[in-house]
Amino acid sequence: MDRFRMIFQYFQSNSESIMNGICGLLALASVKMYTSFDFSCPCLPQYNMAYGLGIMFIPPTILFLCGLILNRQSLVMLEEWRRPQGRRKKDLAVIRYMCSSIMQRAMVAPVVWIVVTLLDGKCLICAFSASMDPEKFVGFANVSTVQVQQLLAKVPCKDDELLRNNTSRKAVSRYLRCWSQALGWSILLILIIAAFLARWLRPCFNQATLLQARHWSNYIDIEQKIFEETCCEHSRLFAHKCILHFFESMRQEIKLHSFSLPREGEGAEGEEDLLRGITDQDQVNKLLKTWYYEKPPLDVSQATPRH
Amino acid sequence: MDKFRMIFQFFQSNQESFMNGICGIMALASTQMYSAFDFNCPCLPHYNLVYGLGILLVPPFILFLLGFVLNNNISMLAEEWRRPQGQRGKDPAVLRYMFCSMAQRAMIAPAVWVSVTLLDGKCITCAFCTSVPVETLGNASHPRLSQGEVQRVLARIPCKEIYNGQQLIANEVAVRYLRCISQALGWCFVLLMTTLAFLVRSLRPCFSQAAFLKSRYWSHYIDIERKLFDETCAEHARSFAKVCIQQFFESMSTDLVASHCHLPRKAPADAGEAAEKLLGITDRGAMNMALKSWHRCKPPLHLHPPALPTGNGWAGEGQPPTHPSAPRRETAAYYSWV
């Protein structure tokens, strides 16, 4: 348990680590999903291509959307993009930086699915077996056109009684699998080269702007968290005071009807400070509305409160 | 669990240890990937060579680049290489050291893949089955076939279930022959890599050990400095956010002060403590300027002594004569690298 707590704390230490952790978990989940999915090609001429390509492209779209949903930063970015300007200018470089980092992380799990699918080969065999040229394979060369389509469509199904031990079926299967694996490795190679170039060449362009964008995107995240914590604390105190007032008013009513009770109101004084003068529902609503419509400027040089 | 925590902390202690950990994990991952990968020789004359050599060479290249991509030091290296000189000189020996150490670590996983592939034998069998010497290994009494036919038959050697050339050359014989060559190549490769590693490690101290120590120190320094800068910026952002939000709440409450006649009394103490951590940077423009200067003009590696008050301030005490000499001694100890 200690070990898990330590790993958990390491990932909690900053939100980038959390996002990397989620990204890795989604990638592992996508591999696990693929291995546990029971691929069953329909082995019929028109259905094969739809099934094969569907399995190859629909789950990655789902995983991409999951990656966007699970990433807290996407909400923060949307909020920053759509907020009214107020007293704080908007910096497009920060929004672009956040957008690109969110997209990169969300793309990992779909790419893992597609690469694993291609390296395994079943999808491509299912999708393209009916589009093979029968002349290339001995067993299918002298069959009529209609029948050859049916036979080729049955290639992915190993247990079909027509093609059970047919060497041409195995040849077609091997051929398609070889292409599928070559495509998979090529995609992986291209992506790795792109990632390498991006990491290597990034500091050559606008490093100062990048440092600034990264700092302010981190800042926006932290500010949002601290604001939520402050509001939580405020609402807790508000509720506490509200309930104390309620009991106080009840007690005063009782006092009218019976003998006096000891007074004990001094402890509540200290908490009034933490409420910072915001003590009713309309004021809280106004505060939250102002936070959204008019974020304060990024300038804390004056210590005294200003209007 | 204590042991695990200790190991975890050891690997986290600096970037090099962390990279050693990643390097080991990648080597294990590469053997796992190889055993999970379903090798599927196409058994067609020209495709075999391309497929076999592709599986032998493309994944190691991918693993090599992945070793660089996962290494955080690569952006540090590129940054150090491309930054403007500013007040701090650049030392190409440090850059060379960083690049060499990254490249060495990135080479391990590809070398593991290539060794495992050669020792297993499937790749070489697939790639070179059409080049088997039929005259020496084949059956003496085989029917005369055209060159193309012979190639097609030989190409099916790796696929036992569709092999139809038993009269030409026995499948077992050809597979054993190719596998033997593949394993010999594999062991030679492992021996070569190990010898190279041994030579590099043992001959290094014979050449410019002092320069090597210097480069290693300064490359660790750059790594630690960057990490500390990032942590300081994060700390600063946290304090900035706290003060910003406190001031926001205060400004809201002063708007309502007319109806309540109530000013917060506790806030200033908190604000003071958080404001101190701001290190004097209190608005967006100043922060942007600080970040830009960090990139454009890194400070010199020369720690300044704390500023002395001038003679006027010490009129009443006998201390001044001894103080000026102490910082000079301090300066000499922090000899600059610039």
Side-chain angles (χ1 to χ4, degrees):
Chain A
M1 273 306 114
D2 222 7
R3 181 162 47 165
F4 287 116
R5 192 155 43 101
M6 219 174 53
I7 295 180
F8 197 62
Q9 268 172 5
Y10 168 69
F11 278 115
Q12 285 280 72
S13 58
N14 67 342
S15 56
E16 264 205 29
S17 301
I18 295 180
M19 291 187 300
N20 287 343
I22 291 188
C23 177
L25 276 177
L26 266 183
L28 285 176
S30 105
V31 173
K32 189 76 186 134
M33 249 168 71
Y34 184 79
T35 45
S36 50
F37 176 66
D38 192 10
F39 189 87
S40 93
C41 195
C43 292
L44 298 165
Q46 288 88 19
Y47 291 67
N48 274 5
M49 171 113 30
Y51 186 83
L53 292 182
I55 296 296
M56 197 151 91
F57 291 118
I58 293 180
T61 314
I62 295 173
L63 286 167
F64 181 70
L65 291 174
C66 275
L68 289 179
I69 290 170
L70 290 176
N71 196 343
R72 200 178 154 273
Q73 234 195 8
S74 50
L75 279 178
V76 172
M77 183 204 78
L78 276 176
E79 220 182 281
E80 177 65 18
W81 184 35
R82 300 301 302 166
R83 69 171 170 90
Q85 180 130 323
R87 291 193 287 169
R88 187 187 288 185
K89 282 200 294 281
K90 286 206 262 197
D91 191 357
L92 282 177
V94 173
I95 296 175
R96 270 198 305 263
Y97 173 84
M98 282 165 77
C99 193
S100 83
S101 104
I102 291 168
M103 288 288 167
Q104 279 167 26
R105 284 196 176 86
M107 291 281 276
V108 171
V111 163
V112 166
W113 174 280
I114 291 179
V115 166
V116 168
T117 306
L118 287 173
L119 289 180
D120 189 33
K122 290 193 287 240
C123 267
L124 236 67
I125 294 176
C126 185
F128 292 107
S129 68
S131 329
M132 282 284 100
D133 181 11
E135 302 303 319
K136 278 204 228 170
F137 303 98
V138 176
F140 297 118
N142 300 326
V143 186
S144 73
T145 321
V146 171
Q147 247 196 335
V148 88
Q149 280 294 306
Q150 299 264 353
L151 279 179
L152 280 174
K154 286 198 197 298
V155 160
C157 298
K158 294 191 180 63
D159 296 328
D160 192 88
E161 63 268 8
L162 281 177
L163 294 175
R164 190 166 290 155
N165 286 322
N166 193 327
T167 48
S168 300
R169 179 194 71 76
K170 289 177 190 162
V172 171
S173 192
R174 271 185 183 275
Y175 179 79
L176 281 170
R177 210 144 182 228
C178 161
W179 273 109
S180 169
Q181 286 178 345
L183 194 59
W185 283 118
S186 312
I187 288 181
L188 198 54
L189 181 67
I190 290 173
L191 286 174
I192 286 286
I193 290 179
F196 174 75
L197 286 176
R199 272 207 102 157
W200 185 265
L201 296 179
R202 171 72 73 94
C204 301
F205 302 100
N206 269 338
Q207 177 68 354
T209 318
L210 173 73
L211 281 177
Q212 288 170 4
R214 196 170 65 181
H215 180 265
W216 289 117
S217 83
N218 205 24
Y219 172 80
I220 292 172
D221 197 24
I222 291 176
E223 191 190 47
Q224 183 73 5
K225 259 190 234 156
I226 294 182
F227 182 73
E228 281 169 16
E229 278 170 24
T230 313
C231 279
C232 260
E233 204 189 292
H234 189 275
S235 63
R236 197 175 57 82
L237 293 168
F238 197 93
H240 194 212
K241 283 223 78 167
C242 213
I243 291 167
L244 280 181
H245 276 166
F246 171 71
F247 277 99
E248 186 67 36
S249 71
M250 290 301 297
R251 199 176 51 186
Q252 279 179 5
E253 262 197 48
I254 293 171
K255 221 168 50 167
L256 284 178
H257 300 299
S258 61
F259 52 90
S260 61
L261 289 162
R263 245 183 299 160
E264 32 153 338
E266 281 81 22
E269 286 306 317
E271 284 170 345
E272 272 194 16
D273 303 335
L274 292 172
L275 283 177
R276 304 170 217 266
I278 293 160
T279 48
D280 76 51
Q281 176 171 24
D282 290 332
Q283 289 169 8
V284 174
N285 284 344
K286 182 161 188 289
L287 178 126
L288 291 172
K289 198 158 92 155
T290 314
W291 177 257
Y292 177 68
Y293 278 105
E294 259 191 53
K295 278 217 162 62
L298 288 166
D299 188 349
V300 300
S301 44
Q302 291 160 32
T304 55
R306 17 170 232 281
H307 294 274
Chain B
M1 289 311 116
D2 250 349
K3 200 165 38 165
F4 188 79
R5 191 192 324 215
M6 226 168 54
I7 296 177
F8 199 64
Q9 273 174 356
F10 169 70
F11 277 122
Q12 279 287 78
S13 58
N14 71 343
Q15 185 71 6
E16 267 201 24
S17 307
F18 186 67
M19 278 321 296
N20 286 343
I22 296 258
C23 179
I25 290 177
M26 267 180 62
L28 286 175
S30 104
T31 52
Q32 188 62 28
M33 248 168 69
Y34 183 79
S35 46
F37 176 65
D38 194 6
F39 189 87
N40 175 67
C41 195
C43 295
L44 297 164
H46 302 290
Y47 288 66
N48 276 5
L49 186 67
V50 175
Y51 186 85
L53 290 183
I55 298 294
L56 184 64
L57 298 173
V58 169
F61 187 63
I62 291 177
L63 288 168
F64 181 67
L65 290 181
L66 192 64
F68 273 105
V69 166
L70 289 180
N71 194 342
N72 282 333
N73 281 359
I74 188 184
S75 26
M76 195 174 84
L77 174 65
E79 228 178 278
E80 179 65 18
W81 182 37
R82 300 294 302 171
R83 69 171 170 90
Q85 180 124 335
Q87 293 177 355
R88 189 188 285 186
K90 287 207 263 195
D91 189 357
V94 173
L95 295 173
R96 274 198 305 266
Y97 171 83
M98 276 161 61
F99 182 74
C100 285
S101 97
M102 280 198 310
Q104 280 168 24
R105 283 191 181 84
M107 292 272 275
I108 293 181
V112 167
W113 175 280
V114 170
S115 328
V116 168
T117 306
L118 288 174
L119 289 175
D120 189 34
K122 288 194 288 236
C123 266
I124 297 289
T125 307
C126 185
F128 294 108
C129 55
T130 48
S131 326
V132 167
V134 181
E135 297 77 24
T136 40
L137 297 174
N139 294 332
S141 59
H142 62 261
R144 285 273 143 220
L145 292 168
S146 70
Q147 194 59 21
E149 268 298 313
V150 168
Q151 288 290 306
R152 262 197 291 275
V153 167
L154 287 177
R156 293 207 192 106
I157 287 175
C159 306
K160 290 192 181 55
E161 64 265 13
I162 60 176
Y163 185 60
N164 57 356
Q166 281 297 115
Q167 303 100 347
L168 184 60
I169 177 171
N171 190 297
E172 268 289 313
V173 169
V175 166
R176 271 182 190 280
Y177 175 76
L178 288 165
R179 237 170 148 206
C180 156
I181 291 185
S182 170
Q183 286 180 348
L185 277 175
W187 284 116
C188 290
F189 179 76
V190 173
L191 181 65
L192 183 68
M193 288 284 125
T194 316
T195 312
L196 268 177
F198 172 74
L199 284 176
V200 164
R201 273 209 99 145
S202 49
L203 294 182
R204 163 77 61 86
C206 305
F207 300 98
S208 60
Q209 177 71 352
F212 169 71
L213 285 176
K214 211 171 70 147
S215 311
R216 194 170 65 174
Y217 177 84
W218 289 114
S219 92
H220 284 174
Y221 172 81
I222 293 173
D223 181 28
I224 290 174
E225 188 189 51
R226 193 172 91 133
K227 242 188 262 177
L228 279 179
F229 182 74
D230 284 341
E231 277 172 25
T232 310
C233 278
E235 224 6 87
H236 187 275
R238 202 167 289 135
S239 308
F240 199 105
K242 268 201 197 118
V243 175
C244 199
I245 288 168
Q246 268 166 7
Q247 286 183 356
F248 173 74
F249 272 83
E250 278 159 26
S251 76
M252 290 302 297
S253 71
T254 46
D255 280 350
L256 309 158
V257 83
S259 37
H260 280 265
C261 301
H262 177 92
L263 279 168
R265 272 170 293 158
K266 194 161 187 276
D270 266 354
E273 189 194 308
E276 262 170 36
K277 289 200 192 155
L278 288 179
L279 307 167
I281 294 174
T282 51
D283 72 78
R284 192 213 292 245
M287 189 68 210
N288 281 345
M289 187 58 88
L291 291 170
K292 198 152 69 160
S293 320
W294 178 256
H295 171 64
R296 292 260 171 87
C297 186
K298 280 214 163 62
L301 289 164
H302 178 72
L303 301 178
H304 300 298
L308 276 185
T310 57
N312 293 340
W314 291 82
E317 315 195 31
Q319 296 291 339
T322 57
H323 270 259
S325 54
R328 236 173 270 136
R329 256 186 281 126
E330 272 184 65
T331 312
Y334 291 112
Y335 178 71
S336 145
W337 170 61
V338 171

